[in-house]
Amino acid sequence: MNFTLKIWRQENAKAKGRFETYKVENISSDCSFLEMLDILNESLISNKIAHPVCFDNDCREGICGMCGLYINGRPHGNDDGVTTCQLHMRKFKDGETIWIEPWRAKAFPVIRDLVVDRTAYDKIIQAGGYVSVSTGGVPDANSILVSKDKADKAMDAAECIGCGACVAACKNASAMLFVSAKVSHLALLPQGKVEAANRVQKMVEKMDELGFGNCTNTYACEAECPKLIKRSNIARLNREWICARVGKEK
Amino acid sequence: MNLPKIASISRKILVACVGLFLLVFLLVHMGINLCLLRPDDGEWYSIACNFMGTNYIIKVFEVVLFAALIAHIIITVALQIQNWKARPVRYHQPSKSKTSAMSKTMIWTGGLVFVFLALHFVNFYFVKLGLVEGKYMIQTEHALSSSELQAKYMAYTQGKLSPEEMATFQTEMEAVQGLMIKAESEGLYSDDMKWIRNLSAEDVKPVEGIVEGIEPDFYNMAFELFGNKVYSVIYLILFVALAFHLIHAMQSAFQTLGLNHNKYNKFIEGFSWVYAIIIALGFAAVPVYIMFFV
């Protein structure tokens, strides 16, 4: 398969970026999107055309959350429930022009080319996305009772890999789906419930401080999340917030 | 427009609560509008307008309503500005994510609803506030038996009025009589004779301060306004914007308040659609009726 790539190139955080056009040929339809970029980079290096295109990646199994490209108007491209590394070239038409952009958000500044700084997510987690005390090893099966329903919901929320597609997809660059997933997976379980009220307030305050936008319930985040995190988590975050604020002691 | 001390979710909760209140108000307003369509020569409509204009609980709610509306506008605009700032560099490619058009255009449909409100206030509400001239109506019994006039009449029959007071009283009586004669000759009485309607600002000026209960005649103002096809079409277009706004508004308010449940989500979504369409059709019914059937 042959493709024309329009890739965002930017020397560094302060440089002015631009789109560059590259052509890639004889790409296997079983090639992943990142492998296709590897092939492009090899040709850029060997033919000394330009500096290779920088992009984030790590596990290439769809579980680490490192990769993330805005491809033809969709975070992680035109497939549902997959990360960029799990997107395959068979999802594109032969000869297609593919626009590749970095995540765009004030809180995710571009470092170089397609690489963005997602430290903001770490800061939100550091603000309260944890359980303060060590909960020890695996407890006996029935020592802490958790209903199947809650365990399932907590696990679903814990699937979030923090890739940032929700922010990238949201027209407001809001991080509500990410924060809600982190708040939910802890608040739903007994070990996390103890600090739930404090946690939700600290994480939301940090999220606001970092310059993410506000959720307007458009649900582009849900549509683009590679782990299919649901909007019901955002509603739970709102509930947790209301309960925390109403019950707040001065 | 920064409101730094209130967290984003708190602001959104405020917008949602106020929005739900406004949704209920729209239903009440629509109910009153639909009274216009009753073939009773505006009897129900006049009663409803009179109730809304004079009831003290409604007057309190009028203040609450305006506060709510202003809060809704200020907070949403402030949130929107933050949202724009959250993505200083836009994407080159337009978003192809699966989302509803209504949810993405709230600020614009909201803007159109604001334009509608401004137009609507100039056409109707400002007449009530006395900022714009419109048509007026007076309850017949008020015109005949103003307590002040009656007291003066008693004093007049008992010969207790000074010559100056006599002169004023006579002018006032003439003004009221003039109004009654005009009402009689031009057929301005409503079918039930309870109201003298369709009075212009010039008609009511002489009796201002003498006759109690001069009210805006929204019934005839509506018929006159919607008799103009341009206005009717503008109103209808803006009702479509209102419907777009409301379809997303209600379900969004529920989500913001944390009321999301797999069992009820479909119902909430359906209810939002039905509510928005009923409101828009209810409001559109009056101009459509006047345009095509009057």
Side-chain angles (χ1 to χ4, degrees):
Chain A
M1 299 174 86
N2 303 326
F3 300 101
T4 303
L5 307 175
K6 302 267 187 186
I7 301 179
W8 182 260
R9 303 303 309 262
Q10 188 172 331
E11 302 295 315
N12 54 55
K14 286 180 184 164
K16 199 169 179 285
R18 76 231 165 258
F19 281 98
E20 291 283 351
T21 307
Y22 302 103
K23 288 203 183 287
V24 283
E25 286 165 355
N26 298 322
I27 300 290
S28 157
S29 60
D30 293 331
C31 208
S32 83
F33 199 83
L34 297 187
E35 284 163 351
M36 183 274 293
L37 288 179
D38 288 341
I39 294 168
L40 167 72
N41 275 343
E42 278 166 15
S43 100
L44 290 181
I45 295 165
S46 59
N47 296 327
K48 293 184 180 162
I49 298 170
H51 191 280
V53 177
C54 294
F55 57 91
D56 256 333
N57 69 103
D58 190 7
C59 75
R60 299 208 176 190
E61 291 178 326
I63 54 171
C64 76
M66 273 311 285
C67 63
L69 301 173
Y70 195 81
I71 304 160
N72 282 349
R74 287 187 68 185
H76 297 303
N78 59 344
D79 200 0
D80 295 333
V82 296
T83 52
T84 305
C85 63
Q86 296 295 301
L87 175 71
H88 289 88
M89 298 318 292
R90 55 180 169 269
K91 289 284 172 185
F92 296 87
K93 285 181 203 125
D94 188 22
E96 193 175 339
T97 299
I98 305 171
W99 289 83
I100 310 168
E101 301 175 66
W103 286 173
R104 294 287 188 200
K106 185 183 165 196
F108 290 166
V110 173
I111 297 172
R112 182 172 184 141
D113 295 342
L114 304 170
V115 181
V116 296
D117 182 359
R118 282 170 288 183
T119 314
Y121 267 11
D122 300 333
K123 287 182 182 163
I124 293 173
I125 296 296
Q126 283 161 6
Y130 50 82
V131 174
S132 297
V133 293
S134 167
T135 50
V138 180
D140 276 350
N142 294 322
S143 62
I144 303 172
L145 297 178
V146 182
S147 71
K148 175 81 169 77
D149 175 50
K150 285 201 170 166
D152 285 349
K153 282 179 180 159
M155 275 306 292
D156 287 347
E159 272 200 69
C160 170
I161 50 175
C163 65
C166 45
V167 172
C170 177
K171 72 180 179 65
N172 311 322
S174 166
M176 285 284 276
L177 193 69
F178 167 76
V179 177
S180 72
K182 299 302 170 194
V183 162
S184 290
H185 93 251
L186 290 171
L188 280 164
L189 297 175
Q191 294 94 333
K193 210 171 182 63
V194 183
E195 295 169 290
N198 214 11
R199 177 183 305 117
V200 66
Q201 294 182 78
K202 283 184 171 171
M203 290 179 80
V204 168
E205 278 161 18
K206 185 52 82 176
M207 172 185 83
D208 290 349
E209 183 192 314
L210 291 167
F212 289 103
N214 307 287
C215 174
T216 48
N217 304 326
T218 303
Y219 312 131
C221 52
E222 186 187 46
E224 301 301 354
C225 177
K227 294 296 154 189
L228 308 174
I229 306 286
K230 292 199 169 57
R231 69 181 79 166
S232 54
N233 289 299
I234 298 179
R236 185 177 297 105
L237 169 66
N238 293 337
R239 282 201 297 277
E240 289 283 335
W241 171 264
I242 294 169
C243 294
R245 297 302 285 186
V246 170
K248 192 186 180 187
E249 285 183 35
K250 286 271 174 189
Chain B
M1 232 190 286
N2 268 337
L3 308 167
K5 284 192 179 163
I6 310 169
S8 58
I9 300 184
S10 296
R11 288 186 220 173
K12 277 157 39 59
I13 288 166
L14 205 58
V15 170
C17 291
V18 165
L20 288 176
F21 172 69
L22 295 173
L23 276 166
V24 175
F25 163 73
L26 283 175
L27 194 66
V28 174
H29 193 318
M30 185 194 78
I32 294 170
N33 284 12
L34 291 178
C35 292
L36 261 167
L37 303 181
R38 257 179 74 91
D40 61 359
D41 193 33
E43 188 187 342
W44 276 32
Y45 186 72
S46 298
I47 293 168
C49 286
N50 181 254
F51 174 77
M52 296 301 281
T54 53
N55 186 283
Y56 286 104
I57 297 171
I58 302 292
K59 283 188 176 180
V60 172
F61 264 98
E62 202 174 350
V63 177
V64 175
L65 177 70
F66 277 97
L69 188 65
I70 291 165
H72 192 76
I73 295 168
I74 289 177
I75 303 171
T76 47
V77 169
L79 286 170
Q80 185 60 53
I81 291 170
Q82 272 191 337
N83 293 345
W84 281 324
K85 281 186 183 166
R87 179 163 291 140
V89 182
R90 323 292 301 173
Y91 287 111
H92 180 273
Q93 288 292 293
S95 169
K96 292 193 183 70
S97 302
K98 283 171 215 146
T99 51
S100 73
M102 293 81 167
S103 69
K104 285 194 284 194
T105 50
M106 287 300 272
I107 193 72
W108 307 117
T109 51
L112 283 173
V113 172
F114 182 76
V115 169
F116 164 73
L117 279 177
L119 183 69
H120 188 56
F121 279 6
V122 171
N123 290 154
F124 294 96
Y125 191 72
F126 285 175
V127 176
K128 190 181 158 190
L129 297 182
L131 299 172
V132 175
E133 283 185 1
K135 289 177 182 290
Y136 302 89
M137 60 183 189
I138 301 169
Q139 277 193 45
T140 317
E141 58 177 287
H142 277 152
L144 290 171
S145 59
S146 147
S147 52
E148 202 184 328
L149 266 188
Q150 279 192 340
K152 279 193 184 171
Y153 183 71
M154 287 296 286
Y156 166 72
T157 49
Q158 290 163 4
K160 285 181 186 169
L161 290 183
S162 67
E164 291 83 36
E165 285 172 329
M166 279 285 280
T168 338
F169 176 63
Q170 272 174 353
T171 338
E172 287 174 352
M173 282 300 284
E174 275 164 21
V176 174
Q177 278 168 355
L179 183 75
M180 308 295 280
I181 291 164
K182 183 181 169 67
E184 192 70 50
S185 62
E186 294 181 16
L188 300 181
Y189 285 105
S190 62
D191 282 355
D192 56 6
M193 300 295 283
K194 276 186 189 160
W195 300 89
I196 303 169
R197 291 190 313 205
N198 217 355
L199 296 165
S200 68
E202 287 80 46
D203 293 334
V204 292
K205 206 160 260 168
V207 296
E208 259 175 26
I210 307 168
V211 174
E212 293 161 11
I214 300 172
E215 293 174 36
D217 182 5
F218 291 132
Y219 183 79
N220 283 301
M221 278 156 69
F223 274 87
E224 188 186 66
L225 183 78
F226 295 127
N228 181 336
K229 285 206 164 56
V230 176
Y231 263 118
S232 290
V233 170
I234 292 173
Y235 264 67
L236 290 175
I237 291 169
L238 294 175
F239 288 143
V240 174
L242 180 69
F244 258 62
H245 197 70
L246 299 190
I247 287 168
H248 181 68
M250 183 179 277
Q251 44 188 317
S252 181
F254 275 89
Q255 167 82 359
T256 299
L257 295 173
L259 302 170
N260 175 307
H261 192 290
N262 276 342
K263 204 166 154 189
Y264 306 109
N265 285 349
K266 282 273 171 241
F267 171 77
I268 292 171
E269 197 186 329
F271 186 70
S272 302
W273 275 84
V274 170
Y275 195 93
I277 290 167
I278 285 178
I279 293 280
L281 288 180
F283 277 112
V286 174
V288 167
Y289 171 76
I290 294 173
M291 244 173 35
F292 295 107
F293 302 103
V294 174

Coordinates of all heavy atoms in Angstrom, one line a residue, chain B residues 43-88:
Chain B
E43 N -59.7 35.3 26.6 CA -60.1 35.4 28.0 C -59.1 34.7 28.9 O -58.6 35.3 29.9 CB -61.5 34.7 28.1 CG -62.1 34.9 29.5 CD -63.4 34.1 29.6 OE1 -64.0 33.7 28.6 OE2 -63.8 33.8 30.8
W44 N -58.8 33.4 28.6 CA -57.8 32.7 29.4 C -56.5 33.3 29.4 O -55.8 33.4 30.4 CB -57.7 31.2 28.8 CG -58.7 30.3 29.3 CD1 -60.0 30.6 29.6 CD2 -58.6 28.9 29.5 NE1 -60.7 29.5 30.0 CE2 -59.8 28.4 30.0 CE3 -57.5 28.0 29.4 CZ2 -60.0 27.1 30.3 CZ3 -57.7 26.7 29.7 CH2 -59.0 26.2 30.1
Y45 N -56.1 33.8 28.2 CA -54.8 34.4 28.0 C -54.6 35.6 28.9 O -53.6 35.8 29.6 CB -54.5 34.7 26.6 CG -53.1 35.2 26.3 CD1 -52.0 34.4 26.3 CD2 -52.9 36.6 26.0 CE1 -50.7 34.8 26.1 CE2 -51.6 37.0 25.8 CZ -50.5 36.1 25.8 OH -49.2 36.6 25.6
S46 N -55.7 36.5 28.9 CA -55.6 37.7 29.7 C -55.6 37.4 31.2 O -54.9 38.0 32.0 CB -56.9 38.6 29.4 OG -56.9 38.9 28.1
I47 N -56.4 36.4 31.6 CA -56.4 36.0 33.0 C -54.9 35.5 33.4 O -54.4 35.9 34.4 CB -57.4 34.8 33.3 CG1 -58.8 35.3 33.1 CG2 -57.2 34.2 34.7 CD1 -59.9 34.3 33.0
A48 N -54.3 34.7 32.5 CA -53.0 34.2 32.8 C -52.0 35.3 32.9 O -51.2 35.4 33.8 CB -52.6 33.2 31.7
C49 N -52.0 36.3 31.9 CA -51.1 37.4 31.9 C -51.3 38.2 33.2 O -50.3 38.7 33.8 CB -51.3 38.3 30.7 SG -50.7 37.5 29.2
N50 N -52.6 38.4 33.5 CA -52.9 39.2 34.7 C -52.3 38.6 35.9 O -51.7 39.2 36.8 CB -54.4 39.4 34.8 CG -54.8 40.2 36.0 OD1 -55.3 39.7 37.0 ND2 -54.6 41.5 35.9
F51 N -52.5 37.2 36.0 CA -52.0 36.5 37.2 C -50.4 36.6 37.2 O -49.9 36.9 38.3 CB -52.3 35.0 37.0 CG -51.7 34.1 38.1 CD1 -52.2 34.1 39.4 CD2 -50.6 33.3 37.8 CE1 -51.7 33.3 40.3 CE2 -50.1 32.5 38.7 CZ -50.6 32.5 40.0
M52 N -49.8 36.4 36.1 CA -48.3 36.5 36.0 C -47.8 37.9 36.4 O -46.7 38.1 36.9 CB -47.8 36.1 34.6 CG -48.0 34.7 34.2 SD -47.4 33.5 35.3 CE -45.7 33.4 34.9
G53 N -48.6 38.9 36.0 CA -48.2 40.3 36.2 C -48.5 40.8 37.6 O -47.8 41.8 38.0
T54 N -49.4 40.2 38.3 CA -49.8 40.7 39.6 C -49.5 39.8 40.8 O -49.4 40.3 41.9 CB -51.3 41.1 39.6 OG1 -52.0 39.9 39.2 CG2 -51.6 42.2 38.6
N55 N -49.4 38.5 40.6 CA -49.2 37.6 41.8 C -47.8 37.8 42.4 O -46.8 37.9 41.7 CB -49.3 36.2 41.3 CG -49.3 35.2 42.4 OD1 -48.2 34.9 42.9 ND2 -50.4 34.7 42.8
Y56 N -47.8 37.9 43.7 CA -46.6 38.3 44.4 C -45.5 37.1 44.4 O -44.4 37.4 44.3 CB -46.9 38.7 45.9 CG -47.5 40.0 45.9 CD1 -48.8 40.2 46.2 CD2 -46.7 41.2 45.7 CE1 -49.4 41.5 46.2 CE2 -47.3 42.4 45.7 CZ -48.6 42.6 46.0 OH -49.2 43.8 46.0
I57 N -46.0 35.9 44.4 CA -45.1 34.8 44.3 C -44.4 34.8 43.0 O -43.2 34.6 42.9 CB -45.8 33.4 44.6 CG1 -46.4 33.4 46.0 CG2 -44.8 32.2 44.3 CD1 -47.3 32.2 46.3
I58 N -45.2 35.1 41.9 CA -44.6 35.2 40.6 C -43.6 36.3 40.5 O -42.6 36.2 39.9 CB -45.7 35.4 39.5 CG1 -46.8 34.2 39.6 CG2 -45.2 35.5 38.1 CD1 -46.3 32.9 39.1
K59 N -43.9 37.4 41.2 CA -43.0 38.6 41.2 C -41.7 38.2 41.8 O -40.6 38.6 41.3 CB -43.6 39.8 41.9 CG -44.7 40.5 41.0 CD -45.2 41.7 41.6 CE -46.1 42.4 40.6 NZ -46.7 43.7 41.1
V60 N -41.7 37.4 42.9 CA -40.5 37.0 43.5 C -39.7 36.1 42.5 O -38.5 36.2 42.2 CB -40.7 36.2 44.8 CG1 -39.4 35.6 45.3 CG2 -41.3 37.2 45.8
F61 N -40.5 35.2 41.8 CA -39.9 34.3 40.9 C -39.3 35.0 39.7 O -38.4 34.5 39.0 CB -40.8 33.2 40.5 CG -40.7 31.9 41.3 CD1 -41.5 31.7 42.4 CD2 -39.6 31.0 41.0 CE1 -41.3 30.5 43.2 CE2 -39.5 29.9 41.8 CZ -40.3 29.7 42.9
E62 N -39.9 36.1 39.3 CA -39.4 36.9 38.2 C -38.0 37.4 38.5 O -37.1 37.3 37.6 CB -40.3 38.1 38.0 CG -40.3 38.7 36.6 CD -41.3 39.8 36.5 OE1 -42.2 40.0 37.4 OE2 -41.2 40.5 35.5
V63 N -37.7 37.8 39.7 CA -36.4 38.2 40.1 C -35.4 37.0 40.1 O -34.3 37.1 39.5 CB -36.4 38.8 41.5 CG1 -35.0 39.2 41.9 CG2 -37.3 40.1 41.5
V64 N -35.9 35.9 40.6 CA -35.1 34.6 40.7 C -34.8 34.2 39.2 O -33.7 33.9 38.9 CB -35.9 33.5 41.4 CG1 -35.1 32.2 41.3 CG2 -36.1 33.9 42.8
L65 N -35.8 34.3 38.4 CA -35.6 33.9 37.0 C -34.5 34.7 36.3 O -33.7 34.2 35.6 CB -37.0 34.1 36.2 CG -36.9 33.8 34.7 CD1 -36.8 32.3 34.5 CD2 -38.2 34.3 34.1
F66 N -34.6 36.1 36.5 CA -33.6 36.9 35.8 C -32.2 36.6 36.4 O -31.2 36.6 35.7 CB -34.0 38.4 35.9 CG -34.9 38.7 34.8 CD1 -36.3 38.8 35.0 CD2 -34.4 39.0 33.5 CE1 -37.1 39.1 34.0 CE2 -35.3 39.3 32.5 CZ -36.7 39.3 32.7
A67 N -32.1 36.4 37.7 CA -30.8 36.1 38.3 C -30.3 34.8 37.8 O -29.1 34.7 37.4 CB -31.0 36.0 39.9
A68 N -31.2 33.8 37.6 CA -30.8 32.5 37.1 C -30.3 32.7 35.6 O -29.3 32.1 35.3 CB -32.0 31.6 37.1
L69 N -31.0 33.4 34.9 CA -30.7 33.6 33.5 C -29.3 34.3 33.3 O -28.4 33.8 32.6 CB -31.8 34.5 32.8 CG -31.6 34.6 31.3 CD1 -31.8 33.2 30.6 CD2 -32.7 35.6 30.7
I70 N -29.1 35.3 34.1 CA -27.8 36.1 34.0 C -26.7 35.2 34.5 O -25.6 35.1 33.9 CB -27.9 37.4 34.9 CG1 -28.9 38.3 34.2 CG2 -26.5 38.0 35.0 CD1 -29.3 39.5 35.0
A71 N -27.0 34.4 35.6 CA -25.9 33.5 36.1 C -25.6 32.4 35.1 O -24.4 32.1 34.8 CB -26.4 32.8 37.4
H72 N -26.6 31.9 34.4 CA -26.4 30.9 33.4 C -25.5 31.4 32.3 O -24.6 30.7 31.8 CB -27.8 30.5 32.8 CG -27.8 29.3 32.0 ND1 -27.7 28.0 32.5 CD2 -27.9 29.1 30.6 CE1 -27.8 27.1 31.5 NE2 -27.9 27.8 30.4
I73 N -25.8 32.6 31.8 CA -25.1 33.2 30.7 C -23.6 33.5 31.2 O -22.7 33.1 30.5 CB -25.7 34.5 30.2 CG1 -27.1 34.2 29.6 CG2 -24.9 35.2 29.2 CD1 -28.0 35.3 29.3
I74 N -23.5 34.2 32.3 CA -22.1 34.6 32.7 C -21.2 33.3 33.0 O -20.1 33.2 32.5 CB -22.2 35.4 34.0 CG1 -22.8 36.8 33.7 CG2 -20.8 35.6 34.7 CD1 -22.9 37.7 34.9
I75 N -21.8 32.3 33.7 CA -20.9 31.1 34.0 C -20.6 30.4 32.7 O -19.5 30.0 32.5 CB -21.6 30.2 35.0 CG1 -21.9 31.0 36.3 CG2 -20.7 29.0 35.3 CD1 -22.8 30.2 37.3
T76 N -21.6 30.2 31.8 CA -21.3 29.4 30.6 C -20.3 30.1 29.7 O -19.4 29.5 29.1 CB -22.6 29.1 29.8 OG1 -23.3 30.3 29.7 CG2 -23.4 28.0 30.5
V77 N -20.4 31.4 29.6 CA -19.5 32.2 28.8 C -18.1 32.1 29.4 O -17.1 31.8 28.7 CB -19.9 33.6 28.6 CG1 -18.8 34.5 28.0 CG2 -21.2 33.7 27.7
A78 N -18.0 32.2 30.7 CA -16.7 32.1 31.4 C -16.1 30.7 31.2 O -14.9 30.6 30.9 CB -16.8 32.4 32.9
L79 N -16.9 29.7 31.3 CA -16.4 28.3 31.1 C -16.0 28.1 29.6 O -14.9 27.5 29.4 CB -17.6 27.3 31.4 CG -17.9 27.0 32.8 CD1 -19.2 26.2 33.0 CD2 -16.8 26.3 33.6
Q80 N -16.7 28.7 28.7 CA -16.4 28.5 27.3 C -15.1 29.2 27.0 O -14.3 28.7 26.2 CB -17.5 29.1 26.4 CG -17.3 28.9 24.9 CD -17.2 27.5 24.6 OE1 -18.1 26.7 24.9 NE2 -16.2 27.1 23.9
I81 N -14.8 30.4 27.6 CA -13.6 31.1 27.3 C -12.4 30.2 27.8 O -11.4 30.1 27.2 CB -13.6 32.5 28.0 CG1 -14.6 33.4 27.2 CG2 -12.2 33.1 28.0 CD1 -14.9 34.7 27.9
Q82 N -12.6 29.6 29.0 CA -11.6 28.7 29.6 C -11.4 27.5 28.6 O -10.2 27.1 28.4 CB -12.1 28.1 30.9 CG -11.7 29.0 32.1 CD -12.0 28.2 33.4 OE1 -12.8 27.3 33.4 NE2 -11.3 28.6 34.4
N83 N -12.5 27.0 28.1 CA -12.4 25.9 27.1 C -11.6 26.2 25.9 O -10.8 25.4 25.4 CB -13.8 25.4 26.7 CG -14.5 24.8 27.9 OD1 -13.9 24.5 29.0 ND2 -15.8 24.6 27.8
W84 N -11.8 27.4 25.4 CA -11.1 27.8 24.2 C -9.6 28.0 24.5 O -8.7 27.6 23.7 CB -11.6 29.2 23.6 CG -12.9 29.0 22.8 CD1 -13.2 27.9 22.0 CD2 -14.0 29.9 22.8 NE1 -14.4 28.1 21.4 CE2 -14.9 29.3 21.9 CE3 -14.3 31.1 23.3 CZ2 -16.2 29.9 21.6 CZ3 -15.5 31.7 23.0 CH2 -16.4 31.1 22.2
K85 N -9.3 28.5 25.7 CA -7.9 28.7 26.2 C -7.2 27.4 26.4 O -6.0 27.4 26.3 CB -7.9 29.6 27.4 CG -8.1 31.1 27.2 CD -7.9 31.8 28.6 CE -8.2 33.2 28.5 NZ -8.3 33.8 29.8
A86 N -8.0 26.4 26.7 CA -7.4 25.1 27.0 C -6.8 24.4 25.8 O -6.1 23.4 25.9 CB -8.4 24.1 27.6
R87 N -7.1 24.9 24.6 CA -6.5 24.4 23.4 C -6.0 25.6 22.5 O -6.7 26.0 21.6 CB -7.4 23.5 22.6 CG -6.8 23.0 21.3 CD -7.6 21.8 20.7 NE -7.4 20.6 21.5 CZ -8.4 19.8 21.8 NH1 -9.6 20.0 21.3 NH2 -8.2 18.8 22.6
P88 N -4.9 26.2 22.9 CA -4.4 27.4 22.2 C -4.1 27.1 20.7 O -4.3 28.0 19.8 CB -3.2 27.9 22.9 CG -2.8 26.8 23.8 CD -4.0 25.9 24.0

